[in-house]
Amino acid sequence: MKNTYVKNTAILFVSMVISKIIGAVFKIPLTNILGGVGMGYYSTAYSLYTPIFAMTAAAIPTVIIKTVADNIALGRFANANKVLRTAIMTFGSVGALGSALILILAKPFSDYVAQSPQSVWGIMIIAPSVCLCCISSVYKGYYEGCCNMMPSAVSQVAESVCRAVVGLGASYFILDHGIKCFDNSKAIFGTLADSRTQAIDIIMPYAAAGAVLAVTASELCALVCLLVRKKLCRKVIDIHKGDTSTDATIRIVRELLKSCIPVAAAAVVINLSSFIDLITIPRCLNYAVSCDPEYFRTCFSDIINSQGGQVKLANFMYGSYTGLSWTMFMLIPSFTAMFGRSALPQIAGAWTLNNKAEFERKVSVVLRSNFMIGFPLYLGLSAMSPYILGFLFSGRQQEVEVSVLPLFILGLGGVFLTLSSTFISVFQVIGRSDLPIKLMLPGCALKLVINVFTISVPGINISGAAVSTVAMYAFVALGGYFALEAVTGIDFHILRKMLLPLIAGIICAVTAYLCENILFEQSGAFIRLFISIGAGGFIYIILLILFNEINIKSLLNRQKRKNCGNSLDI
């Protein structure tokens, strides 16, 4: 069992690392292709997709894993197989309703909620992905419930590759084709353009829709991989063994939907943040522009001229924020979450056995790893934000200009996001899934209020979205910490655990910043960035050793014991 657990963890870890790398490779060139305006259309499509996905598909894997695993543990293999068949019909129908809902809401949502009528094509194209994702999630949950992680891992990697290839290929082809049409006849998709700027403005919604097409195509690719796996490979379980009785279909449906509701509700609340940004950022920016147009003409004159007037500025700034600042910021929690997630089964086991000492030790390990990994990454990203964005998005300097300050602010408060995610995960595994909702709802309300009162101020503008995000996650992290102590009766001494990694992280960020500014211009942007980040990382590791956060002697003794164990096995 231990070997199976290690093997499954390794499979999921490797597939997740590959998927995250491909995702970063996809998002960075996509932003360079679409720019701020195009990424605004792209993000708008996601803003309607995300809450409907959370309502329909987010809870499926967790529920199917638990239901299938419970049946296998009881020797009810035939019923586990019936759960699979029933879940495909049930959640396929739920997914079809979700896709239909997106299609129905596409036009009113883009016109009145997002105030971006050009986004309608992207919203309509992403709609089928909800149904496809629901069905593929059932298969993933079934295989994982049978302790077979390989199908999920393979489909996840295939999905990421398909998304990158289709998204970049479709958006580039549409943009290139549209420009060629303009050069030949001035007509683009049946619309005449007077200038190249106007031509790009006409093309961009279709190019963004091409990028969104990648979501639907990738979900279809993942589902095909899972179906091929089921068709060609041997069955995971033998339905003729053990207890061959099965539950009534209606009972299985009722239990599945009943189990999904609380998890789906939590997922919807957790994903409210991006929806709040969508409905507040464009409106508040437009209000700020109307209050002080001279300020924006002075500070963003190049952007206003290149985008065809102040009316396009709000969508440009929203797209720049979501496409550059938010994309770069979210790479770090995606990485740190992989380390904390591996301890969750042990945390759940310790809680179930009422072993508080082991529970405290495991949670403390997760918190400590969050601090040790999070502080240098977040603070380093904050300190190096202009240089990282300038290097990765060298062809989009106007978008970089808008995104630098928001990314700086997000980086300063990034550790709160990591802590929030950790506390939410711990609450779910100890059976308190109500607490994430109770924490996130007031956190989202706080974000909404701060968005409205900060983004509307011309001097703050888009940076207000970053301020509200940090405030929201700080509130959730602080509330989560006190709630965890209240539920468990354990004092985790969080300040003591974070102090030394915080000091080392600050010195790491300052070192990287100084190196970037000391090195000669002639050395090139990549060389300067590489050396600066390497120097900061080296100093950070040295400081952790000096602070005894990394115990070299303990690591060497552990490796020696491991080698001795291996030689005894031989």
Side-chain angles (χ1 to χ4, degrees):
M1 183 178 289
K2 183 177 179 181
N3 289 336
T4 302
Y5 170 73
V6 173
K7 178 185 174 184
N8 289 337
T9 303
I11 289 170
L12 289 179
F13 181 83
V14 171
S15 68
M16 190 175 296
V17 169
I18 294 171
S19 298
K20 294 302 178 185
I21 292 172
I22 295 172
V25 170
F26 166 57
K27 266 297 187 70
I28 292 168
L30 180 67
T31 304
N32 281 316
I33 292 171
L34 297 181
V37 173
M39 288 305 293
Y41 300 139
Y42 180 85
S43 300
T44 299
Y46 258 100
S47 295
L48 179 58
Y49 166 80
T50 301
I52 293 179
F53 169 83
M55 284 190 290
T56 54
I60 294 174
T62 304
V63 171
I64 299 298
I65 288 170
K66 185 179 186 305
T67 307
V68 170
D70 287 347
N71 278 279
I72 290 174
L74 295 171
R76 304 189 68 198
F77 302 113
N79 198 58
N81 196 59
K82 186 174 181 179
V83 167
L84 171 64
R85 298 196 309 272
T86 306
I88 290 171
M89 293 186 294
T90 303
F91 293 117
S93 302
V94 171
L97 290 174
S99 295
L101 184 61
I102 291 179
L103 288 171
I104 292 168
L105 294 176
K107 183 66 175 169
F109 180 84
S110 59
D111 287 351
Y112 304 113
V113 179
Q115 294 186 333
S116 177
Q118 301 93 331
S119 303
V120 68
W121 301 111
I123 296 173
M124 294 175 72
I125 285 173
I126 206 173
S129 63
V130 174
C131 183
L132 295 170
C133 187
C134 284
I135 298 172
S136 62
S137 295
V138 172
Y139 281 109
K140 289 177 183 178
Y142 173 75
Y143 285 121
E144 290 180 28
C146 297
C147 288
N148 184 357
M149 307 298 171
M150 189 59 75
S152 295
V154 171
S155 65
Q156 184 176 3
V157 173
E159 179 184 338
S160 300
V161 172
C162 180
R163 182 173 301 183
V165 172
V166 174
L168 294 177
S171 56
Y172 180 81
F173 172 78
I174 292 170
L175 189 59
D176 183 63
H177 177 71
I179 291 173
K180 286 179 179 176
C181 289
F182 170 75
D183 292 337
N184 293 332
S185 63
K186 306 294 183 186
I188 306 157
F189 308 131
T191 305
L192 290 173
D194 297 327
S195 64
R196 196 176 185 84
T197 301
Q198 189 179 1
I200 292 175
D201 195 41
I202 295 169
I203 298 166
M204 203 53 74
Y206 299 99
V212 172
L213 174 65
V215 180
T216 299
S218 64
E219 293 296 346
L220 178 61
C221 178
L223 180 56
V224 168
C225 286
L226 292 165
L227 291 173
V228 169
R229 162 65 179 78
K230 189 174 189 300
K231 187 74 176 176
L232 299 181
C233 299
R234 65 181 178 84
K235 292 184 178 179
V236 181
I237 55 177
D238 187 349
I239 61 174
H240 301 294
K241 288 184 177 180
D243 184 357
T244 57
S245 65
T246 59
D247 295 334
T249 301
I250 189 66
R251 180 182 175 184
I252 295 174
V253 171
R254 191 185 303 118
E255 289 299 318
L256 289 175
L257 294 178
K258 182 181 176 182
S259 300
C260 274
I261 290 172
V263 182
V268 170
V269 173
I270 290 169
N271 284 286
L272 270 179
S273 173
S274 60
F275 188 76
I276 290 172
D277 279 341
L278 172 71
I279 62 175
T280 55
I281 290 177
R283 286 175 169 80
C284 293
L285 284 175
N286 284 326
Y287 176 79
V289 171
S290 66
C291 288
D292 194 352
E294 189 59 35
Y295 172 84
F296 287 92
R297 276 195 293 267
T298 302
C299 296
F300 304 103
S301 58
D302 292 342
I303 297 174
I304 291 171
N305 293 333
S306 65
Q307 299 302 320
Q310 288 184 341
V311 69
K312 302 286 179 62
L313 184 61
N315 186 62
F316 176 87
M317 297 180 84
Y318 172 65
S320 299
Y321 172 74
T322 56
L324 279 71
S325 303
W326 190 250
T327 296
M328 296 306 301
F329 174 66
M330 287 305 292
L331 288 176
I332 298 175
S334 300
F335 178 72
T336 56
M338 292 187 290
F339 293 89
R341 195 173 298 142
S342 61
L344 291 179
Q346 290 91 340
I347 291 173
W351 181 258
T352 302
L353 297 172
N354 199 28
N355 188 342
K356 286 199 171 185
E358 182 67 6
F359 179 84
E360 180 181 1
R361 191 176 74 83
K362 293 295 183 183
V363 173
S364 296
V365 167
V366 174
L367 291 173
R368 188 164 169 265
S369 66
N370 283 338
F371 294 139
M372 290 179 64
I373 298 166
F375 277 130
L377 293 179
Y378 284 120
L379 296 177
L381 180 67
S382 185
M384 302 294 288
S385 57
Y387 311 110
I388 293 173
L389 291 178
F391 173 72
L392 294 175
F393 305 98
S394 56
R396 293 289 179 178
Q397 288 305 311
Q398 292 179 342
E399 286 84 349
V400 170
E401 180 187 342
V402 170
S403 306
V404 165
L405 184 55
L407 182 57
F408 173 80
I409 295 168
L410 288 171
L412 290 179
V415 75
F416 294 125
L417 170 57
T418 301
L419 283 175
S420 300
S421 302
T422 300
F423 291 139
I424 287 171
S425 298
V426 171
F427 289 139
Q428 289 174 340
V429 299
I430 66 174
R432 291 302 305 269
S433 55
D434 60 308
L435 288 175
I437 299 176
K438 293 176 180 177
L439 290 169
M440 285 300 299
L441 277 176
C444 288
L446 177 65
K447 177 177 174 58
L448 177 63
V449 172
I450 295 176
N451 262 16
V452 171
F453 285 100
T454 56
I455 301 174
S456 301
V457 177
I460 300 175
N461 55 77
I462 191 66
S463 298
V467 173
S468 69
T469 299
V470 171
M472 177 185 73
Y473 284 117
F475 173 85
V476 174
L478 193 62
Y481 175 67
F482 287 123
L484 186 63
E485 287 196 343
V487 169
T488 62
I490 299 171
D491 184 358
F492 291 96
H493 305 288
I494 195 168
L495 292 178
R496 189 187 306 168
K497 290 180 175 65
M498 70 184 292
L499 181 60
L500 294 178
L502 173 60
I503 294 171
I506 292 171
I507 296 172
C508 163
V510 171
T511 301
Y513 180 81
L514 291 176
C515 284
E516 175 67 37
N517 286 274
I518 290 171
L519 291 173
F520 295 111
E521 290 282 339
Q522 291 80 359
S523 57
F526 174 75
I527 298 297
R528 290 203 312 275
L529 192 62
F530 181 79
I531 293 175
S532 301
I533 293 174
F538 177 76
I539 293 296
Y540 182 72
I541 292 172
I542 294 298
L543 288 172
L544 288 184
I545 295 171
L546 292 176
F547 292 157
N548 205 32
E549 290 292 307
I550 297 178
N551 194 320
I552 298 294
K553 186 177 179 180
S554 175
L555 291 174
L556 292 174
N557 289 336
R558 188 180 303 173
Q559 184 63 35
K560 190 182 295 183
R561 287 196 301 271
K562 183 179 177 182
N563 292 337
C564 290
N566 290 338
S567 50
L568 286 173
D569 290 338
I570 294 171

